Amino acid sequence: MQDSTLDIIIVGAGLGGTCAALYLSNSKRVALLSGTAPTASTIAAGLVNPFAGQRMGGFWNASVAYEDFLHTLRRADALETYNPCGILRPALNEVQASLFRTISLEKPESFTWLQPDQVVRMYPSITAPFGAAITRGGVADIPQMLDRLITSLIPRCTVIQNNLTNWEDHGSEVTAVLDSGRSLRTKKLILAVGAGYQSIPKLKNLNLHCTKGQLVHVSPPTEIPLPVSGYGYAVPIEDRLILGTTYEHTPQDLEPNEEGIAKILALTQQMIPSVASAKVLSASAGIRVGVPGTRLPMVGPLTSNVWALTGLGSKGLLFGSHIGRNLDNWMTNPSNLPNELRLQKN
């Protein structure tokens, strides 16, 4: 029997594709193609940081995106996969310390300043000679979160363990060809394929860039009570620290290497001196896809019925939720799509 036409097919079960499926399947017939493993999503340390960057001014729609992230967790019954413990941000110099003090006065509900002596007293394992801030944010268990998202999707979304090999936009609908040989018809096709875009000729002309990021798992000799971000980052997970990360723009391979491990250990021990004697347990690497010249993702139509959802970079937890929650509105009314996210900026 021939398959009936779906409302939407989403390709890619990483954070972007899965969040989109969570919201779109509320009112539409959706299929999620999960044949490609979401490598970058599952390797990431899960740091949720609405105050990223050295100037800590927040990025585009940061506060809204964080609330959308929390909404996504509630919607998927996944709140327990997130620990909103806050993030310790040591000031890297006196100029940054002055900036942090100013922000703490402007945003006391989400930003707390600690003098150097307070850091020593409260967090003796952390080095912060210029002081530090504790910001809103925390750590998500991304594999567990994705599992909860998929579980919540199953009653109302068809999850297919195949990948896309080709498609054709006929104007009235799209034919999607799967690697199983099966063809599906849909009104809209959303490509949330992450680094997989490189193997799709129709996506190669997009303004995207791949960056390899390595992580190191170590057994810390001293307790680190909350995530630390400044010289790289350190995220405590159970009995280990996840340290990161590298930014390799012309990687020779996709495997972790000794050079990357050494760089990460040297960087993070500036904040946590005990890292110098930590036992390295394992290392991993993944590919982040970003849009050159901006820290924002890329969303929009490639053709009348085929949309790209990509470039989430290192902020998939925030941007995945924000885009997912708004995508139905943007696809129905493309003029509502924010200019900052458009494939072609106005």
Side-chain angles (χ1 to χ4, degrees):
M1 184 176 67
Q2 189 177 32
D3 293 310
S4 59
T5 301
L6 292 157
D7 292 318
I8 296 172
I9 293 175
I10 300 170
V11 186
L15 287 165
T18 307
C19 288
L22 180 74
Y23 287 99
L24 291 170
S25 63
N26 186 54
S27 59
K28 292 177 170 55
R29 294 182 63 241
V30 175
L32 176 66
L33 304 186
S34 61
T36 299
T39 305
S41 295
T42 55
I43 287 175
L47 197 62
V48 183
N49 188 357
F51 290 92
Q54 290 196 13
R55 295 196 58 80
M56 303 281 278
F59 46 86
W60 178 82
N61 268 9
S63 297
V64 174
Y66 184 75
E67 294 302 326
D68 289 338
F69 166 69
L70 297 177
H71 184 272
T72 297
L73 294 178
R74 290 191 293 269
R75 191 181 184 98
D77 192 24
L79 279 171
E80 67 184 49
T81 69
Y82 176 56
N83 180 9
C85 53
I87 300 170
L88 186 68
R89 293 291 307 269
L92 304 185
N93 49 54
E94 185 53 49
V95 173
Q96 195 179 58
S98 177
L99 174 65
F100 285 9
R101 287 191 291 267
T102 299
I103 298 174
S104 70
L105 297 175
E106 297 172 346
K107 301 179 179 180
E109 73 287 350
S110 56
F111 205 101
T112 302
W113 171 250
L114 301 176
Q115 297 288 357
D117 61 328
Q118 292 177 289
V119 180
V120 171
R121 185 171 63 254
M122 297 172 64
Y123 306 106
S125 57
I126 309 299
T127 294
F130 301 101
I134 298 179
T135 74
R136 193 180 190 191
V139 184
D141 184 329
I142 299 180
Q144 186 181 9
M145 177 184 166
L146 283 171
D147 184 65
R148 289 293 184 88
L149 287 169
I150 294 292
T151 299
S152 68
L153 280 173
I154 289 174
R156 62 180 190 273
C157 174
T158 302
V159 180
I160 302 174
Q161 301 292 328
N162 285 122
N163 202 7
L164 185 76
T165 59
N166 201 2
W167 74 85
E168 188 68 36
D169 187 348
H170 305 289
S172 59
E173 65 180 23
V174 179
T175 299
V177 182
L178 312 189
D179 54 9
S180 64
R182 181 183 178 189
S183 293
L184 298 175
R185 293 178 292 120
T186 182
K187 297 175 184 176
K188 298 288 184 182
L189 179 68
I190 299 174
L191 304 173
V193 294
Y197 86 92
Q198 299 172 99
S199 62
I200 301 176
K202 296 177 183 178
L203 299 183
K204 285 186 175 181
N205 290 330
L206 292 180
N207 181 31
L208 296 171
H209 177 69
C210 289
T211 305
K212 177 183 175 181
Q214 299 189 48
L215 299 179
V216 183
H217 293 234
V218 303
S219 179
T222 56
E223 180 183 0
I224 308 299
L226 76 170
V228 186
S229 177
Y231 292 109
Y233 58 75
V235 178
I237 301 290
E238 298 178 347
D239 60 345
R240 63 182 56 198
L241 275 180
I242 302 177
L243 308 177
T245 177
T246 61
Y247 293 87
E248 301 169 46
H249 299 286
T250 56
Q252 300 301 309
D253 56 57
L254 302 183
E255 298 300 320
N257 55 56
E258 293 299 326
E259 181 183 4
I261 293 172
K263 285 182 178 180
I264 292 169
L265 293 175
L267 188 67
T268 52
Q269 74 181 53
Q270 296 179 73
M271 303 182 298
I272 308 170
S274 62
V275 164
S277 58
K279 178 183 178 182
V280 175
L281 302 174
S282 63
S284 55
I287 297 294
R288 297 181 291 261
V289 178
V291 181
T294 176
R295 295 182 178 181
L296 300 179
M298 178 184 287
V299 183
L302 297 166
T303 64
S304 59
N305 297 310
V306 179
W307 278 57
L309 194 175
T310 186
L312 276 66
S314 59
K315 301 182 183 69
L317 286 161
L318 294 171
F319 281 140
S321 295
H322 181 61
I323 293 169
R325 196 173 184 186
N326 289 279
L327 193 54
D328 189 16
N329 173 33
W330 296 342
M331 293 179 73
T332 303
N333 303 287
S335 61
N336 292 341
L337 178 64
N339 189 57
E340 293 87 348
L341 305 186
R342 291 174 180 269
L343 274 65
Q344 301 293 334
K345 307 292 191 289
N346 294 330

